[in-house]
Amino acid sequence: MTADRKREAREKFLLGGIVVRAGLTKADRAFLLGGLIELARVAPGTAEHRRLRHIGEEAFKAPALAGGSPHIAETVEWH
């Protein structure tokens, strides 16, 4: 495995861990992608960016969410 492939695999592993930490493992992929696209539109340094970053920093300090997020409908199968 090349260094680039190892780096890419590690990035995917870390991103998957964030999804688990947020309690979104049973969310459908379209929902997750839509949310990430919306996040990509938030300009760094804005009040919204700082607000979301603060939420994330606090979440990393807290125990991981168990049982999924109450804000989404869970799906059993990936599309």
Side-chain angles (χ1 to χ4, degrees):
M1 191 180 281
T2 67
D4 287 339
R5 288 184 69 197
K6 284 183 180 181
R7 181 187 47 77
E8 184 179 331
R10 178 159 173 76
E11 286 176 358
K12 289 177 182 178
F13 177 79
L14 292 173
L15 290 171
I18 290 171
V19 171
V20 170
R21 183 112 183 139
L24 295 170
T25 57
K26 296 189 180 187
D28 72 60
R29 296 183 310 163
F31 173 79
L32 289 173
L33 183 56
L36 292 170
I37 290 169
E38 284 294 309
L39 286 173
R41 294 177 180 162
V42 177
T46 62
E48 181 68 358
H49 186 272
R50 288 189 299 273
R51 183 184 76 81
L52 293 169
R53 183 172 173 83
H54 176 73
I55 291 169
E57 288 172 347
E58 293 301 312
F60 276 122
K61 294 176 188 175
L65 295 174
S69 172
H71 303 289
I72 61 164
E74 294 184 2
T75 59
V76 176
E77 114 186 20
W78 288 88
H79 301 286

